[in-house]
Amino acid sequence: MLVMLHGCGQNAAEFAASTRMNAIARRERFLVLYPEQDRLANPQGCWNWYDTDNGRAYGEAALIIKAIDQLGLRQPVDLARVAVVGLSAGASMAALLAARHPERFKAVVMHSGVPVGAAHNSLSALAAMRGRRVAKPLQSGSGISAAGLPHLLVIQGEADPLVVPANGRAAAEGWAAASLASAGPVRTMQRGQRYPFSLTEYQHAGQVVVAWVEVARLSHAWSGGAPKRAFSDPQGPDASRMLWQFVAKRFNV
């Protein structure tokens, strides 16, 4: 199962339409859960990933875990094979969720998100998005464990003005450091006429545990998303296909 967390200004239906993840799920035969943020909890529909001082971020993470468990009671879900994916605020919440509950996830995918531990309230969140804060090591964060972290894929737009590209590097390097993984060479690729991208893989014990993709010319949008959708750029490499390839290897499918 994939758990898909939308970004600010989106809802679950819009995120599903933009990513077209349901089409991949039908073809590959897995379930997708789209939790949706309550507008009473955040008027812009953002997950409150940064509100750790008052505990709101941890409360929302716990609610998502409950939603996963509830679906597990109603559908034939293999709860040993779950990954969490997010865009923007959803990516930051996905990372927080996986860091707090590493035993619950095989993989986590951050698209245009802020690393865990870079913010603790709304003001520090804005600074973190602009690259003006350094994330604390995962081991020292409140309630965060670096032991047995799920594997991480980071996708970041090089031209993102809202969540600056330094966040992608920081997320990948911080997760890799906690996983005792070392970076391999940077590879540059391009698929057809889509934007080119660079790929850096971090390995531990012969396994790729972190992969960082930086997409040239991509702004704050889902790479390769459906056209004419908010926060979606069809010219980017297909992030949905890319993330499923990453996750499927962790699911052994």
Side-chain angles (χ1 to χ4, degrees):
M1 179 173 70
L2 291 189
V3 181
M4 300 284 291
L5 303 178
H6 62 79
C8 296
Q10 288 183 313
N11 58 32
E14 290 164 347
F15 192 39
S18 172
T19 62
R20 295 178 286 206
M21 190 56 68
N22 290 347
I24 298 177
R26 283 192 293 269
R27 184 178 71 241
E28 302 294 340
R29 299 183 63 80
F30 62 87
L31 294 180
V32 189
L33 174 64
Y34 295 94
E36 185 170 290
Q37 174 66 302
D38 193 324
R39 293 289 171 146
L40 295 177
N42 188 293
Q44 285 75 46
C46 307
W47 298 99
N48 294 300
W49 57 272
Y50 48 83
D51 262 344
T52 57
D53 277 354
N54 62 20
R56 182 182 296 179
Y58 302 142
E60 290 185 2
L63 286 174
I64 295 169
I65 291 292
K66 288 181 180 178
I68 294 170
D69 289 338
Q70 183 181 39
L71 187 62
L73 294 173
R74 299 172 56 188
Q75 299 289 339
V77 178
D78 182 355
L79 293 180
R81 294 196 294 175
V82 179
V84 58
V85 179
L87 171 66
S88 191
S92 303
M93 178 56 78
L96 177 67
L97 188 65
R100 280 184 66 80
H101 305 279
E103 75 287 353
R104 299 298 305 266
F105 301 99
K106 285 290 187 182
V108 54
V109 180
M110 298 178 66
H111 194 315
S112 311
V114 174
V116 177
H120 56 91
N121 56 31
S122 57
L123 288 178
S124 61
L126 291 173
M129 290 165 63
R130 294 165 183 160
R132 297 175 185 167
R133 286 183 62 86
V134 177
K136 296 178 181 179
L138 289 177
Q139 297 93 322
S140 66
S142 174
I144 305 299
S145 169
L149 287 171
H151 293 183
L152 171 69
L153 170 63
V154 177
I155 302 172
Q156 174 67 47
E158 186 183 44
D160 191 333
L162 297 181
V163 179
V164 300
N167 284 289
R169 177 187 291 273
E173 290 183 345
W175 208 270
S179 303
L180 304 178
S182 301
V186 179
R187 291 181 284 159
T188 301
M189 291 174 272
Q190 186 170 11
R191 292 168 178 165
Q193 298 302 310
R194 294 177 184 264
Y195 301 148
F197 64 94
S198 63
L199 169 65
T200 307
E201 295 180 326
Y202 300 76
Q203 293 194 22
H204 175 68
Q207 275 194 317
V208 174
V209 298
V210 176
W212 171 38
V213 174
E214 188 171 66
V215 182
R217 302 199 296 275
L218 180 68
S219 186
H220 195 68
W222 188 267
S223 184
K228 299 180 181 179
R229 294 281 179 177
F231 308 109
S232 182
D233 188 342
Q235 292 299 111
D238 191 341
S240 298
R241 177 185 173 189
M242 196 181 302
L243 77 86
W244 173 244
Q245 290 175 337
F246 183 84
V247 169
K249 290 182 180 178
R250 279 74 194 169
F251 285 175
N252 295 318
V253 296

